Amino acid sequence: MKRITLAFLSFAVLVGGSVAQAQDKYPFKPIKVVVPFGAGSATDIVIRIVGDQMRHELGQQIVVENKPGAFGILAIEEMVKARPDGYTLQVGNPGTNVLAPIIYKDKFKIDYDKEVVMVSRMGEVPLILAATVKDFAPKNYGEFIALAKANPGKVRYASVGVGSNNHYDTEAFAQWAGLKLIHIPNKGGGAAITNDLVSGDAQVALVNAASSAGVIKGGLLKVLAVMAEERMPEYPDAPTLKELGYASGKGLWSALYAPAKTPPEVLDAIHKATVAALKSAPVQEAFRKQMIKAVPNLSLADAKAWNEMEVAHWRKLTETVKVEKPE
Amino acid sequence: MEFFDNLAIGFGVALTPANLGFAFLGAMVGTLIGVLPGIGPIATIAMLLPLTFHLEPLSGLIMLAGIFYGAQYGGSTTAILVNLPGETSSVMTCIDGHQMARQGRAGVALAVAAISSFFAGCISTALIAGFAPPLAKIGQSFGAPEYFSLMLLGLVAAVVLAHGSILKAVAMIVLGLLVGLVGTDGNTGGTRFTFDIRELIDGIDVATLAIGLFGVGEVISNLSRPEEQRSVIAQKITRLWPTGDDFRRSWRAVLRGTALGSILGVLPGGGATLSSFAAYALEKKVSREPSRFGRGAVEGVAAPESANNAGAQTSFIPMLTLGIPGNAVMALMIGALTIHGIQPGPQIMSERPQLFWGMVASMWVGNLMLVIINLPLIGIWVQLLKVPYRFLYLAILLFCAIGVYTVNNSSAAVLLAAFFGVVGFILMKLDCEPAPMILGFVLGPLMEENLRRAMKIASGDPMIFVQRPISLGLLIAAALLLLIVALPAIRGKREEVFQG
């Protein structure tokens, strides 16, 4: 109950505080972080864990607001339209903050590249190339490739939607491996595509390592390969796609963003608090339990450079990979 | 006796003073936020989520589950009193529940809702304790063809829902289907009926539609009457407690609702949502006096209330064994579990028996607490109806607006709900039932997606629907239902079914 009171109080402070502007040092009131996904989603959990720790670093509450919709555009614009004073931030992932500004550029009412800056990456979860056990024989990567090559246009893969980063990632991999697969999109998100594999609607998919762990352990899915920098201790026999020669495989990351017009000293304070929270023991412990790796950018310049690299990577991907692109 | 062992493990942990306290806290908070639809369960649970970081996983889950049932129960309270469905699951409760309230039987409706829910909770708890592993298997065998056939059966049943002309019922279902199409087409990524409004890209939320059609529509309709006829209670409040006749009428409905809800709840992803619709349709179909439905039939409250509670309970099976959330609240509970490093999966029953069975036992405890909390409150809720309508309607509209806004923190949704309020009012004037429209809205997109997916799986061969045994069974059931409606020999009966 105390927490509720606290949340209500902080809300009251949030409303009242904007009257007395900026006599104090940043931050003098709670900070709102807009999440482009529903509460309980992977990205939402990351900011709630990190935010709980940032509260200790900054001495102010981090208030999470979930605003899903329109590929993340609604959340991003809510942040950009707020005053760029460091009290409204946003978390995003490669889908909302890199891919959407490229392929849905015309749906934005703002110029994303000019209005938004990356503060730091936060966490990265490995993606697993998983296969169903239902009427699907391959037990490892080699057998899967052999089967898919022998049956072009027969093996089905699931993704979280047409034009999603998950869709592009899988198509890019398939193109590299020389496979022709059938796409079974599911708007229901990560848990839904895991279920598509369990029920046999789809046969392979790139799934979030954390949310699929229980189902894999229960023998309903097989691990073919891991999309991450190194092999996972949980699946020592599963090769990384990198080992197999596929260079652009990366896990699913989340990052904190701020309006580009935020004063530099405020940006700096947010960056410091984010990195400190990511390095703290409670966050590391909570991340470890969910197979998330803390991946802070050590400086704002580093975050900027990293972001540019990622944007270039996705830009190339969207140009070279052919998907049934939505119009 | 595995059944008793499981329950013993469960009650062993659920009945510790601390966990009893969490169950009570959850049920209490849930009831309050359910009755005041301003703050929905999602917002509340999201706020309380950081608190569960520091709790035992089971205690956290028990509290969140309590909020979930409590809110669902509280949602029925507003559905009955002011025709405002707090959640999708209470849409069907509005129909006869609110009519009962208008006849001065609000107390009876509330009591029947509480008792039906509790009874359904007891049965489904026992069902889970006895048959969780095989029930989990059913969920895993449902692929696209099975879902399609199930939705088809649901749509056929939807025709029975209406209590006006069959033509109007079909028209309402089609209207619902069309509204359901708004948004992005899952298969191509193309947008439909969005008119370049970005808030429509992900479609319309069912809460927005239901609150608009029922809640706002009812307010407009009441205001259009002369002032002296506006009061919610047209007749004097007769009594608060159900009579022997009420119990006699509802016990079969409760049993059927519980059975239907328990089965549908096991299906991953939205099975529980269908349970109250299905139970209401079934009850009307088997009733000897179907014309009473929609006019304050007590069975029309008992059936959907028991079904949605049973469905809510059994939907914990796909959540815990597959990690598939049945709704947004359950998605948050999965979040609460994963924060503690607990991965939902089929092995959770053997690996964490205390967590799994503790959860099951706490469902029963939570249901009992809801009855204890709510039965004494009925008198107070009924008094609320004595508030003059000129004050009450402002509060209702305010709660509608806040409730719709908090789903996605979207002001566009509030405007949409206002729009659907006007639509709801026009439909009322035309004597068209909004319930089949909601059903079409929910079922249509699911049906389309699963049909197209099944076609992809079978490379375009429609035989897939009859080759899969479960799918075939559901199609046969749908055909039989159609036959019953169409057969001339029982036309007399049909006339009765569709009589207004």
Side-chain angles (χ1 to χ4, degrees):
Chain A
M1 284 315 282
K2 195 179 149 204
R3 216 37 91 96
I4 299 184
T5 327
L6 210 62
F8 278 130
L9 277 180
S10 40
F11 177 67
V13 175
L14 193 71
V15 172
S18 51
V19 183
Q21 201 53 245
Q23 320 91 326
D24 293 306
K25 198 171 151 286
Y26 177 87
F28 64 86
K29 61 178 184 178
I31 299 164
K32 180 168 94 175
V33 181
V34 193
V35 182
F37 301 97
S41 59
T43 313
D44 175 77
I45 296 289
V46 167
I47 186 60
R48 283 181 202 271
I49 292 171
V50 178
D52 199 42
Q53 186 64 31
M54 282 173 79
R55 181 167 53 94
H56 298 301
E57 306 291 338
L58 291 168
Q60 286 292 346
Q61 192 85 5
I62 305 290
V63 181
V64 175
E65 182 185 305
N66 300 91
K67 196 175 174 79
F71 322 105
I73 297 175
L74 301 180
I76 294 170
E77 289 191 358
E78 174 164 333
M79 170 184 76
V80 169
K81 281 176 187 158
R83 202 191 293 266
D85 53 6
Y87 291 101
T88 312
L89 308 173
Q90 182 243 338
V91 284
N93 71 10
T96 58
N97 285 61
V98 182
L99 188 56
I102 297 173
I103 64 173
Y104 298 116
K105 198 175 173 50
D106 57 330
K107 291 202 161 65
F108 276 90
K109 287 181 182 161
I110 56 163
D111 185 343
Y112 180 88
D113 298 328
K114 283 194 185 128
E115 302 276 5
V116 181
V117 287
M118 184 163 160
V119 176
S120 171
R121 278 211 300 165
M122 297 197 295
E124 183 173 328
V125 186
L127 287 169
I128 287 178
L129 182 65
T132 182
V133 295
K134 211 168 190 174
D135 309 322
F136 195 65
K139 279 188 261 328
N140 55 45
Y141 182 79
E143 290 178 21
F144 158 65
I145 295 290
L147 180 98
K149 283 210 167 143
N151 300 283
K154 290 266 193 261
V155 176
R156 304 182 294 271
Y157 79 88
S159 90
V160 298
V162 176
S164 64
N165 47 322
N166 192 229
H167 183 195
Y168 273 101
D169 265 342
T170 322
E171 277 296 339
F173 160 74
Q175 194 172 317
W176 168 80
L179 309 178
K180 196 167 175 294
L181 305 175
I182 298 183
H183 182 208
I184 306 273
N186 192 331
K187 289 189 279 188
I193 67 168
T194 308
N195 189 41
D196 287 344
L197 291 181
V198 171
S199 71
D201 275 5
Q203 290 155 327
V204 291
L206 281 172
V207 296
N208 179 318
S211 58
S212 61
V215 186
I216 290 172
K217 209 168 170 190
L220 298 174
L221 298 186
K222 284 170 290 200
V223 179
L224 300 178
V226 175
M227 201 149 137
E229 286 296 308
E230 5 191 277
R231 288 196 181 201
M232 292 178 63
E234 291 84 355
Y235 315 116
D237 298 333
T240 64
L241 288 177
K242 205 174 169 188
E243 279 172 50
L244 297 163
Y246 181 59
S248 57
K250 200 179 280 145
L252 185 62
W253 51 263
S254 54
L256 187 64
Y257 294 86
K261 296 190 186 84
T262 312
E265 66 279 6
V266 172
L267 265 186
D268 213 43
I270 302 169
H271 176 262
K272 279 207 176 68
T274 313
V275 174
L278 286 169
K279 287 183 170 170
S280 71
V283 169
Q284 295 268 339
E285 172 65 11
F287 272 18
R288 190 188 54 76
K289 282 185 183 160
Q290 303 181 69
M291 303 184 187
I292 305 171
K293 203 169 114 192
V295 284
N297 293 105
L298 294 180
S299 68
L300 283 164
D302 182 31
K304 186 166 182 277
W306 193 90
N307 184 52
E308 279 166 7
M309 204 181 69
E310 188 72 1
V311 171
H313 162 71
W314 280 97
R315 206 175 282 285
K316 190 164 152 251
L317 209 61
T318 53
E319 281 159 10
T320 53
V321 176
K322 292 197 171 44
V323 304
E324 324 110 62
K325 204 188 153 205
E327 284 313 324
Chain B
M1 280 313 285
E2 210 182 326
F3 175 79
F4 291 105
D5 285 347
N6 291 339
L7 282 184
I9 299 174
F11 281 105
V13 287
L15 292 181
T16 59
N19 285 341
L20 275 178
F22 282 114
F24 181 79
L25 182 68
M28 192 73 205
V29 171
T31 304
L32 290 179
I33 58 171
V35 175
L36 305 170
I39 332 163
I42 301 167
T44 313
I45 294 185
M47 258 194 274
L48 290 175
L49 200 59
L51 183 67
T52 65
F53 293 178
H54 313 290
L55 289 179
E56 281 293 305
L58 178 62
S59 305
L61 210 57
I62 285 179
M63 183 177 72
L64 298 184
I67 296 177
F68 172 48
Y69 313 134
Q72 203 163 44
Y73 185 84
S76 323
T77 306
T78 53
I80 290 169
L81 294 179
V82 288
N83 208 28
L84 177 58
E87 303 227 2
T88 337
S89 55
S90 43
V91 166
M92 301 315 287
T93 310
C94 280
I95 302 174
D96 280 284
H98 186 58
Q99 284 307 318
M100 287 178 73
R102 296 194 81 102
Q103 292 158 11
R105 289 170 30 95
V108 178
L110 289 170
V112 166
I115 296 164
S116 315
S117 296
F118 178 64
F119 181 81
C122 294
I123 301 263
S124 51
T125 303
L127 208 64
I128 296 174
F131 306 103
L135 286 174
K137 280 269 184 317
I138 298 182
Q140 293 161 24
S141 58
F142 254 70
E146 286 81 12
Y147 274 110
F148 171 78
S149 302
L150 178 70
M151 301 304 153
L152 193 70
L153 176 61
L155 269 193
V156 171
V159 176
V160 185
L161 268 177
H163 65 85
S165 79
I166 192 162
L167 185 69
K168 279 182 180 168
V170 173
M172 293 312 294
I173 292 172
V174 173
L175 185 61
L177 290 174
L178 287 176
V179 178
L181 289 183
V182 173
T184 306
D185 166 33
N187 274 275
T188 62
T191 51
R192 298 192 282 212
F193 304 127
T194 56
F195 307 104
D196 275 334
I197 300 169
R198 295 178 308 169
E199 280 78 2
L200 291 179
I201 288 179
D202 294 295
I204 293 164
D205 192 272
V206 64
T208 309
L209 181 68
I211 290 179
L213 283 183
F214 284 90
V216 183
E218 174 83 9
V219 167
I220 302 176
S221 158
N222 272 334
L223 291 180
S224 70
R225 293 189 193 113
E227 195 166 356
E228 54 277 14
Q229 289 171 29
R230 273 183 207 162
S231 167
V232 174
I233 7 176
Q235 289 156 36
K236 209 167 165 295
I237 297 173
T238 43
R239 54 186 293 145
L240 291 181
W241 294 100
T243 59
D245 183 55
D246 290 323
F247 281 118
R248 196 179 47 75
R249 282 179 186 282
S250 37
W251 70 271
R252 284 194 196 88
V254 171
L255 282 183
R256 283 188 285 258
T258 305
L260 209 53
S262 302
I263 296 168
L264 287 173
V266 173
L267 305 179
T273 328
L274 298 179
S275 59
S276 59
F277 290 100
Y280 188 88
L282 177 71
E283 219 38 58
K284 197 169 164 187
K285 187 78 217 165
V286 300
S287 169
R288 281 199 204 93
E289 314 159 72
S291 59
R292 288 177 55 247
F293 281 79
R295 294 174 173 182
V298 68
E299 309 92 289
V301 175
E305 278 299 308
S306 50
N308 75 37
N309 208 39
Q313 306 253 59
T314 52
S315 62
F316 275 88
I317 293 183
M319 182 199 114
L320 288 171
T321 62
L322 287 173
I324 312 294
N327 55 44
V329 178
M330 289 203 162
L332 271 168
M333 286 192 217
I334 293 178
L337 280 177
T338 51
I339 282 173
H340 288 282
I342 298 169
Q343 316 293 355
Q347 73 294 341
I348 203 166
M349 284 181 236
S350 49
E351 256 178 27
R352 292 188 176 262
Q354 296 215 325
L355 180 91
F356 187 87
W357 298 113
M359 183 74 223
V360 172
S362 87
M363 294 175 187
W364 186 83
V365 174
N367 273 297
L368 180 65
M369 283 181 174
L370 276 180
V371 171
I372 296 172
I373 294 172
N374 278 289
L375 285 185
L377 285 179
I378 288 177
I380 301 175
W381 299 140
V382 173
Q383 294 304 313
L384 267 184
L385 292 183
K386 291 188 178 154
V387 174
Y389 199 74
R390 62 180 188 280
F391 300 126
L392 194 59
Y393 92 91
L394 288 172
I396 295 173
L397 281 184
L398 182 69
F399 283 136
C400 286
I402 305 175
V404 167
Y405 178 79
T406 50
V407 174
N408 278 340
N409 288 318
S410 158
S411 39
V414 181
L415 293 177
L416 262 178
F419 169 75
F420 284 119
V422 176
V423 173
F425 172 65
I426 296 171
L427 294 180
M428 263 179 238
K429 286 279 151 201
L430 295 174
D431 261 336
C432 291
E433 287 287 302
M437 178 173 167
I438 302 237
L439 196 59
F441 174 84
V442 173
L443 290 182
L446 283 173
M447 199 166 143
E448 185 207 356
E449 198 188 323
N450 284 297
L451 171 67
R452 292 170 75 174
R453 176 180 288 202
M455 290 292 91
K456 271 191 178 174
I457 292 173
S459 312
D461 181 4
M463 291 308 282
I464 189 171
F465 296 110
V466 290
Q467 283 160 352
R468 300 239 203 155
I470 299 179
S471 165
L472 179 65
L474 291 165
L475 286 179
I476 292 174
L480 281 180
L481 200 60
L482 264 184
L483 213 66
I484 292 173
V485 176
L487 260 188
I490 35 176
R491 172 154 302 186
K493 172 90 180 163
R494 200 203 73 173
E495 295 295 309
E496 219 172 276
V497 173
F498 293 118
Q499 230 155 45

